[in-house]
Amino acid sequence: MKILAIETSCDETGISVIDASGSFENFKCSVLADELLSQASLHAEYGGVFPNLAKREHSRNLVPLLKKVLGINYGIFNFQPACAGRFLIFKQLPKSKTEKIKEILGREPELAKQLLKFLRNTKKPEVDAIAVTYGPGLAPALWVGVNFARALSIAWSIPIVPVNHMEGHVFSALLRTENNFQFSTCLRRQVFNFQFPAVALLISGGHTQLVLMRDWFKYELLGETRDDAVGEAFDKVARLLGLPYPGGPEISKLAEEARSSKLEPLSSKLPRPMIDTDDYDFSFAGLKTAVLTLTKKLGELSEVQKKQIAREFEDATADVLLQKVARALAETGAKTLILGGGVAANSHINKRIAEALKDEFREVEMFTPARGLTGDNALMIAVAGYFRTLSGEYVAQEDLVAEANLTLHNL
Ligand code: KG4
Ligand code: ZN
């Protein structure tokens, strides 16, 4: 089954096409195309994602990405060249469909124009369903992707499968390639030896959640952040240190330099908020404020001080995440730990958790996304969408709505 997936929940516009078969135990998939356009540099001056800018960029990016994805021809897409005759144009996109698409994309006239032009000149590709992220995320950004999916569903008369973005992050960790886990398009991917119960630590710029999975699609939210997400804290602290957005990789680099050059640790320790609380919740706003207070006290920061702060901040974050993960593993008897989301790219956090598993939870297997799949991408939406199609979870295009605050709980 071929699935075209669309991801627009935050500041990455992604479209991917997979050819998947089998169920959880014998899943196989080929990545036929996987494209991503990041807006990170545009949001850099705001120090975070600016929702209306994200929406505008998604509208601009979607059709060029779609063309690119469908242009990557592995012999599966059967395209008719651009046709000039009116009859053909009419045949490829009847007036009733054109009107519906115009209505759906009424708030995105430029996108509607680009898409209609594309649709009039191309035949329906050999795609069986459209998977689209419908939440959680930034509402204006989500709506562009959702309405784009609705328009394609009408144009090509194929069904839509709505995907929870966080479920996408879960699946991104489970994909293994046959080629020694290296990430590249057009490789076959499989889900291997997965055992329940599983605990998922989903850490990104918008979310920090600990989720218990007792079975496929059975999620229980154990805890989440009460204020800032961990990635957001990385981004805000980076800003305080004068580092560019996104701040996670920048902080991580400085922290690593501090460790490898054996710099003196920061003399004043940063707090580890909620580390000993009797729950699975997190709080990172206080940690960020502690860095703010410290930077105010220190005045102009030297390069050495920036490295020391970055290291202490990363250590504090890793301590808290690790403590809560260890507690969740011990109390649930989980056999699997999944790490997902942009912050899962952090090598120090990964290392600390992997070491703890080796010492205390030898029977727990850890799954982390392959390089290139930690952040937002459409491939994870395609895979999650495929598994949802197996239980027939389609939605009529007119019933599909974006849900900015969608949770994974009791889906
Ligand atoms: O999952 P993602 O791409 O988008 C959201 O859904 O939020 O995550 C982006 C977040 C940003 O806050 C970024 O700073 C953080 O992931 N991030 C990292 C690292 N790489 C990206 N945080 C810490 N260490 C990293 N190496
Ligand atoms: Zn994400």
Side-chain angles (χ1 to χ4, degrees), residues 34 36 172 183-184 189 345 369-380:
D34 186 33
L36 198 66
S172 73
F183 175 70
S184 126
R189 289 166 175 272
R371 217 152 54 86
L373 285 185
T374 47
D376 293 346
N377 63 85
L379 180 56
M380 68 186 193

Side-chain angles (χ1 to χ4, degrees), residues 61-135:
N61 291 340
L62 279 167
V63 173
L65 267 189
L66 183 69
K67 283 183 182 164
K68 204 168 169 190
V69 161
L70 297 181
I72 300 173
N73 194 332
Y74 293 102
I76 57 148
F77 297 118
N78 174 18
F79 274 117
Q80 186 140 323
C83 50
R86 276 185 80 182
F87 174 69
L88 271 178
I89 290 171
F90 176 74
K91 216 177 152 196
Q92 311 228 133
L93 197 67
K95 195 154 185 276
S96 59
K97 289 192 175 188
T98 304
E99 290 310 314
K100 258 192 186 163
I101 291 171
K102 274 189 186 160
E103 192 188 316
I104 288 171
L105 295 176
R107 289 180 172 200
E108 314 290 337
E110 200 41 49
L111 175 60
K113 213 168 119 194
Q114 278 188 52
L115 181 62
L116 286 168
K117 188 171 169 213
F118 171 77
L119 291 170
R120 283 191 193 110
N121 291 326
T122 50
K123 240 172 102 174
K124 172 191 174 300
E126 288 174 30
V127 169
D128 304 296
I130 298 165
V132 63
T133 301
Y134 74 112

Side-chain angles (χ1 to χ4, degrees), residues 30-41:
S30 297
V31 183
L32 301 176
D34 186 33
E35 295 292 336
L36 198 66
L37 271 176
S38 174
Q39 309 165 7
S41 60

